[in-house]
Amino acid sequence: MLAGRAVALLCLTWGTYQSLAVPRVTECGLSCSQGFACKSRVNQNIFNSFCRQPPASMPRPVLGALALSTAMKCSPPDSCFLLLRVNASLTLHESLQGLEACSTSLDTQETQCQTVRVPRASRRQAGQQLQVHFDCFEVGVAQTLYVTLRTVPHFCGVQLGQQYHMEDCRDEDVGKNVPDCFAEQLSYWVDRSRKVVLVQVPESGGTDYYARLCLKRFTCEDAGTPVLVTGNSISRRVSLPYSQELSCLCLEVWSATPDAVRIQTCPFKDDTESLWDAIHYHLGSQVLSWEPACPMRGRVSLCWRPGPGAHCLELKHSGRPARGKVQYPLVDTQPQLCLKFSTSLGFQVRCPFKQPRFPAWKMTVQPAPAPGRLRVAFFSSSPARFQVCVCHQGKTWPPDCRRLLQATPVPAASVSQGDPTEDPAVAFVDIPRDEACAPSTCIQGRRTDVQFSAPQQLCNLQCAATQGTAA
């Protein structure tokens, strides 16, 4: 069916590990030590935080132990869910009316509380140990819980707490029997020609799932509406369209049950080219910006590439952390000016102004009207200011540039003259011929009316002819 398309077959999978079977329970309830009568009450609200001072006659400690474990209840056999079991002990006292155990999910902040009441007759057995077993905290796969044990009434400072991690889908028993984990058995294909991700439920599946594409940033943000994948329908395949292949575009699948664990994979995690190309330039404000669609860590800077294949030299004061949107104001649109990225996804250089649509100024060196001097002239389609440096090439790069000369603007009346098909000369500076023609000498020009500019340079001038152009 999919012949001729660029389709990659992948599977959502978590590695499993061998483990002991999770204990099964058939009935969910509360039990106390033999010989004691207890009554339970389930409370879905967050427990009352107010406390009272304990009586002086109350022994310390009253709460003896708090033990947590996992159980599983299955009904029918192929539809199981996890339970948190809480075992606690209490030293009886006439002022104690019972125990309260509360389980708070650190993922959802949902709190469940159960209270056991000790009849007045049992309270008279002061000093006796009461063992209480809470079995009915229904929890989700891979949840992190914080369990609090307190007395009823709540006495200040009389409390036990413990954190507990529920088993996840890598547990062999949980992965095989809890529907939340069946999502790992789904398969998906990436059809790049149609720009869709195809998700399919296996024929043996009877559970419904949701599938969506999302952009993995601080959270995984919707990149499309979640689609219900029905396990009992004739067609068990859905298509999730996408507009761009991004490294943070992920597929998320989860069971259609409350607080189900979500299994996530990112099929385009190696597709980073579009991130480097997210460069924009505003001609009016002369602002160059880079705003990648995916979060990145690293550093961004502007750099100057003197020639094809040459190392890109970083411009001073242009380094920025690669966090969110990066902007550079008043940037010159020279083809040699580039953006250099050093991020967690690699090292890249992009030169956005190589495209012909961006205006670029030119620099030439030719004989000056005055004897023994050369004229460095600048041509631009718009007014601009320039400076010239005389540089000396050595064993290291870039060359050592010391002498600085400010270019003289050409009067407006003169700028309008000349060939209308060529950019007019807007500035010039005259330099001694002997200095410019010395061995290993470069003439370097740069704009000064912008904040970030890449220089142009001419090296080793052939002074017999004495004419050169840099663009």
Side-chain angles (χ1 to χ4, degrees):
M1 182 186 300
L2 297 174
R5 299 175 185 164
V7 179
L9 173 62
L10 303 133
C11 289
L12 291 168
T13 178
W14 280 3
T16 60
Y17 55 84
Q18 296 291 329
S19 63
L20 298 174
V22 177
R24 302 307 198 262
V25 295
T26 55
E27 295 295 331
C28 185
L30 172 98
S31 61
C32 290
S33 303
Q34 189 173 1
F36 290 92
C38 296
K39 296 180 180 180
S40 65
R41 185 179 70 185
V42 177
N43 180 13
Q44 294 291 340
N45 297 322
I46 297 178
F47 47 75
N48 192 342
S49 59
F50 295 103
C51 64
R52 66 179 70 173
Q53 292 299 319
S57 60
M58 180 180 292
R60 300 284 181 95
V62 175
L63 302 177
L66 173 62
L68 308 176
S69 60
T70 304
M72 187 183 297
K73 185 177 181 182
C74 300
S75 179
D78 61 348
S79 179
C80 303
F81 57 90
L82 296 180
L83 296 171
L84 174 68
R85 306 173 79 174
V86 179
N87 296 327
S89 63
L90 171 71
T91 301
L92 291 175
H93 187 270
E94 59 183 7
S95 61
L96 294 177
Q97 302 173 20
L99 268 180
E100 181 183 65
C102 292
S103 170
T104 300
S105 169
L106 300 185
D107 307 301
T108 65
Q109 298 302 310
E110 179 185 0
T111 298
Q112 305 175 60
C113 292
Q114 295 184 27
T115 303
V116 57
R117 294 283 180 174
V118 181
R120 188 180 299 273
S122 297
R123 293 181 223 162
R124 297 194 182 100
Q125 303 181 44
Q128 294 292 317
Q129 285 284 325
L130 173 65
Q131 301 291 330
V132 182
H133 305 279
F134 301 90
D135 287 336
C136 285
F137 289 99
E138 187 172 341
V139 292
V141 174
Q143 279 191 329
T144 300
L145 307 168
Y146 191 79
V147 178
T148 305
L149 184 68
R150 307 194 308 183
T151 58
V152 178
H154 178 205
F155 290 115
C156 300
V158 184
Q159 178 173 306
L160 294 177
Q162 186 175 328
Q163 188 167 302
Y164 188 74
H165 299 280
M166 298 301 298
E167 287 78 357
D168 58 33
C169 296
R170 293 174 296 178
D171 182 278
E172 186 177 17
D173 193 17
V174 174
K176 287 182 178 179
N177 294 288
V178 179
D180 285 358
C181 295
F182 296 167
E184 69 182 55
Q185 302 171 14
L186 274 69
S187 298
Y188 74 87
W189 294 261
V190 177
D191 188 340
R192 293 178 183 261
S193 64
R194 294 171 51 206
K195 287 194 171 184
V196 294
V197 177
L198 305 173
V199 183
Q200 182 167 344
V201 179
E203 293 185 7
S204 58
T207 306
D208 294 345
Y209 299 91
Y210 284 105
R212 69 163 183 163
L213 293 176
C214 57
L215 292 173
K216 192 173 183 180
R217 294 174 176 142
F218 181 72
T219 59
C220 213
E221 302 171 6
D222 274 328
T225 304
V227 177
L228 182 64
V229 186
T230 306
N232 290 325
S233 64
I234 298 176
S235 175
R236 290 177 295 273
R237 177 181 295 173
V238 295
S239 297
L240 302 176
Y242 63 87
S243 59
Q244 193 175 15
E245 294 166 3
L246 297 170
S247 59
C248 60
L249 183 64
C250 303
L251 171 64
E252 198 171 63
V253 182
W254 68 98
S255 169
T257 57
D259 299 325
V261 63
R262 299 192 178 199
I263 296 177
Q264 194 178 90
T265 187
C266 304
F268 308 109
K269 62 182 179 181
D270 296 324
D271 292 275
T272 60
E273 286 301 309
S274 60
L275 301 181
W276 315 124
D277 294 333
I279 302 170
H280 305 280
Y281 182 77
H282 190 273
L283 282 171
S285 62
Q286 296 180 281
V287 172
L288 178 67
S289 61
W290 175 65
E291 188 172 14
C294 298
M296 305 180 73
R297 291 179 296 174
R299 190 171 182 273
V300 184
S301 62
L302 294 174
C303 62
W304 165 49
R305 178 167 276 171
H311 180 64
C312 205
L313 306 172
E314 183 173 324
L315 300 186
K316 290 182 180 180
H317 311 300
S318 69
R320 304 283 189 275
R323 291 194 295 265
K325 188 174 184 178
V326 178
Q327 286 188 319
Y328 293 98
L330 297 176
V331 176
D332 185 20
T333 56
Q334 281 302 99
Q336 298 91 349
L337 191 143
C338 307
L339 274 168
K340 180 165 63 175
F341 306 95
S342 301
T343 71
S344 56
L345 297 178
F347 173 83
Q348 295 285 334
V349 174
R350 289 292 188 272
C351 303
F353 303 123
K354 280 187 173 182
Q355 303 174 38
R357 64 187 180 91
F358 289 106
W361 52 270
K362 298 178 182 179
M363 181 182 76
T364 66
V365 178
Q366 51 195 342
R373 301 184 75 84
L374 295 179
R375 172 159 292 186
V376 182
F378 297 93
F379 299 83
S380 174
S381 60
S382 59
R385 294 195 299 271
F386 298 88
Q387 70 180 19
V388 171
C389 291
V390 179
C391 310
H392 299 279
Q393 290 179 305
K395 294 182 179 179
T396 59
W397 185 263
D400 182 23
C401 301
R402 296 183 179 178
R403 188 174 181 190
L404 187 64
L405 302 168
Q406 297 296 328
T408 302
V410 175
S414 301
V415 170
S416 61
Q417 299 174 5
D419 187 346
T421 63
E422 297 290 337
D423 290 336
V426 294
F428 71 92
V429 62
D430 291 344
I431 58 177
R433 175 189 290 267
D434 293 343
E435 184 177 359
C437 296
S440 302
T441 298
C442 296
I443 306 300
Q444 193 176 97
R446 182 194 296 266
R447 277 188 70 175
T448 59
D449 58 337
V450 291
Q451 190 169 337
F452 297 100
S453 174
Q456 291 188 14
Q457 67 178 16
L458 291 168
C459 298
N460 300 314
L461 293 175
Q462 302 299 317
C463 289
T466 319
Q467 185 163 355
T469 301

